Amino acid sequence: MSNTWMTHQISNQFDEKQDYNLFTTDQVLQEILTRYGSQDQPALTELGQVAGSAEYYSYADQANRHTPILHAFDARGRRKDCIEFHPAWHQWMALNRRHAVHAHPFLAPQSKSAWVDWAARFYLAGQVESGSLCPTAMTLGSIPLLQREPELWEKIGTKLLSTEYDPRDLPIAQKKSIWLGMGMTEKQGGSDVRANQTLAKPVAAAGRGQAYLLTGHKWFFSAPMCDAHLVVAQTEQDGLACFFVPRWLEDGSKNAVQVQRLKEKVGNRSNSSSEVEFQEAWGIMIGEVGRGIPTIIEMANYTRLTCSVGSSAMLRQALVQCLAYTRQRKAFGKHLAEQPLMQAVLVDLALETEAAVQLSFHLAHCYEQDDELSLAWKRIMTPAAKFWICKRAVELTGEMMEVFGGNGYVDAGIMARIFKEAPVNTIWEGSGNVMCLDVLRAIQREPESIQLLFQSFAQVAKQQPLLQAELKQFLALLQKQPDELQFMARSLVSRLVILAQAILLQQYAPAFVAEAFIQSRYQVFHGRVVGMLDPKQFDVDAILARVLAA
């Protein structure tokens, strides 16, 4: 029988790339690991194979389609505040746990590349499923804080570091492993944590390590099914403090943290974010009395790094999908990847992605060093990178989605999911303005740090007049009055990050990459629209082959 009802034959249509090893196909990542002395390639090859499999792409899709469901009460009206996840979510959570994405630097403290190896894990997993990285990042950031609380660490340390996934909703003492979340934001304050109204009253004695009862709310309470949260609250006598608030009490009863509702978010759909009320919820003060904000900000410094690495992962995945697709799709008699204008777009995306990756991983390397230069990188460039890389991911994932035309805009594949996911990292752990103010604060309070940073830049820029000129102009900008600097802070921080990226590429990337980035960012007008390049400035084939071998 002929196919009389077939109105057309499907041709020149191609699925998004799956079933490839995310690690072994990433030349830039492998070079970075070699540079920092990593010996972790076998484990990363395994993770890259699993995370890049069609099975785990499918799990990611399912976890984001079948979003968490809040069950506030049981069948008889008893409060339980339990959140139901699709089984695919647990597959990703278990994979992250098994590969120690939540704790690798603390499981390999003697390794000189522990933080770089961690970043590689986070980067590989984040290319396919980002929502599960929220509790993973918060757990990572909580560990160094809790290690300074001996009595509490004795009870929970091994469970935090465990690589065995335990999804059961039970008191901490009964579990094999646990996750930590965070609660800072309140309705009236937002980023202004000092405006928090949640009140903590001591059960008996006051101070560090003592029990308190918390009454109030959190407008954003990240991952409410975590086994405990670090929460900022006011005390009557000592100002803001940080508290460890478990989901379950030691007697087996549920703590008085009531989930009001789950947030309906633009992206990050697989992960649960909530509003909660504390009705005399039990918690333990951690950190120094009256130092709640510095305590929680220390945690945020780690999670800000995760934002940069996570946004770099989104850029990498979207870029790979674009290149794989344009090498197959034909238009006007050629593959899209052979069309000069598309090549300009792809090359620009490749340069920006590598710059983001190089900066994110260099920052991770600085987290395992204690020399003054590394500390300067951490203090100044962590919020700067978080601002720029996460902002650029929002814009560039839109460009990358456009490469697929209408198919990219349809909510049936990873391109649309990445596009909707990207904005979360610009907002979470401090908006763009907060990051820029933090950079200015670091520069003004620690002028020796920016001097040290720029001295190191100058050493690399010796043979590059464009970078030398930018260094000189930037230093002149820093002489402006504080109010004027704040007004232009976004411009200042953007220039700082692009300069740092150019320095890293000049130092570590092949010449054809470094020169293309520097020339396109400094010699000719480089607008916000991708692909405004001079074709004489770059080697198209070499740059695109570096992204993904044909």
Side-chain angles (χ1 to χ4, degrees), residues 151-417:
E151 186 175 343
L152 183 57
W153 183 256
E154 180 68 24
K155 294 180 180 179
I156 68 172
T158 57
K159 300 174 190 291
L160 270 174
L161 298 177
S162 172
T163 56
E164 183 176 357
Y165 180 53
D166 187 345
R168 297 175 299 165
D169 186 20
L170 295 170
I172 289 174
Q174 300 176 38
K175 296 194 67 174
K176 298 175 181 177
S177 64
I178 60 173
W179 300 95
L180 263 288
M182 182 192 300
M184 285 197 293
T185 307
E186 297 184 7
K187 296 175 186 177
Q188 74 287 340
S191 297
D192 185 6
V193 181
R194 288 179 177 82
N196 279 9
Q197 297 174 356
T198 295
L199 182 63
K201 294 185 177 181
V203 173
R208 187 173 189 169
Q210 300 299 322
Y212 285 71
L213 297 179
L214 280 67
T215 302
H217 82 282
K218 293 296 170 186
W219 185 236
F220 279 92
F221 196 67
S222 297
M225 284 301 286
C226 285
D227 299 281
H229 287 75
L230 298 188
V231 174
V232 176
Q234 296 279 1
T235 62
E236 292 179 314
Q237 302 296 328
D238 301 313
L240 286 166
C242 186
F243 297 88
F244 174 89
V245 180
R247 175 168 164 76
W248 293 91
L249 301 178
E250 290 184 354
D251 65 5
S253 62
K254 194 180 96 50
N255 204 358
V257 179
Q258 295 192 355
V259 181
Q260 302 304 300
R261 63 172 175 170
L262 299 185
K263 300 287 192 182
E264 285 288 337
K265 296 168 293 184
V266 172
N268 205 247
R269 303 282 291 173
S270 64
N271 176 48
S272 59
S273 302
S274 66
E275 300 166 24
V276 301
E277 288 186 356
F278 304 123
Q279 300 183 357
E280 294 193 332
W282 186 91
I284 299 171
M285 183 187 288
I286 68 167
E288 297 178 22
V289 173
R291 299 280 294 170
I293 293 178
T295 300
I296 204 74
I297 288 300
E298 181 180 342
M299 179 180 180
N301 283 336
Y302 291 99
T303 49
R304 287 171 179 176
L305 174 64
T306 70
C307 288
S308 296
V309 177
S311 289
S312 298
M314 294 181 208
L315 290 172
R316 166 66 188 177
Q317 176 64 200
L319 177 61
V320 166
Q321 295 295 345
C322 285
L323 195 52
Y325 181 74
T326 57
R327 284 172 174 171
Q328 299 174 87
R329 174 85 170 176
K330 286 186 175 180
F332 310 109
K334 288 183 180 180
H335 287 111
L336 285 175
E338 297 171 344
Q339 303 282 2
L341 185 52
M342 180 60 75
Q343 289 178 337
V345 171
L346 293 172
V347 166
D348 209 359
L349 293 171
L351 293 173
E352 185 99 25
T353 299
E354 177 161 353
V357 172
Q358 294 280 7
L359 177 55
S360 294
F361 275 82
H362 185 72
L363 270 177
H365 168 68
C366 291
Y367 272 66
E368 57 206 2
Q369 309 297 314
D370 57 6
D371 60 280
E372 290 300 321
L373 179 57
S374 295
L375 293 175
W377 271 93
K378 285 171 60 177
R379 181 65 189 93
I380 296 171
M381 295 308 303
T382 297
K386 196 268 192 190
F387 166 76
W388 179 253
I389 294 173
C390 299
K391 285 285 185 192
R392 294 296 284 165
V394 175
E395 181 172 350
L396 298 183
T397 53
E399 284 280 359
M400 293 164 168
M401 187 170 65
E402 185 181 331
V403 169
F404 284 73
N407 287 337
Y409 194 64
V410 174
D411 203 6
I414 196 170
M415 297 304 291
R417 188 168 78 244

Side-chain angles (χ1 to χ4, degrees), residues 14-32:
F14 304 95
D15 296 328
E16 290 158 324
K17 188 174 179 64
Q18 298 180 8
D19 259 340
Y20 72 103
N21 192 308
L22 302 178
F23 177 68
T24 59
T25 55
D26 193 333
Q27 182 179 345
V28 175
L29 177 57
Q30 292 177 63
E31 289 176 5
I32 288 171

Side-chain angles (χ1 to χ4, degrees), residues 96-155:
N96 289 337
R97 197 89 199 192
R98 187 163 65 249
H99 286 273
V101 183
H102 71 294
H104 179 76
F106 308 103
L107 290 170
Q110 305 307 315
S111 170
K112 294 182 179 180
S113 63
W115 277 96
V116 170
D117 293 336
W118 161 79
R121 287 164 163 77
F122 201 90
Y123 172 76
L124 292 172
Q127 290 183 40
V128 184
E129 210 296 297
S130 297
S132 57
L133 294 182
C134 175
T136 302
M138 292 186 295
T139 301
L140 176 89
S142 73
I143 290 173
L145 275 66
L146 295 171
Q147 285 178 328
R148 296 200 292 271
E149 310 294 328
E151 186 175 343
L152 183 57
W153 183 256
E154 180 68 24
K155 294 180 180 179

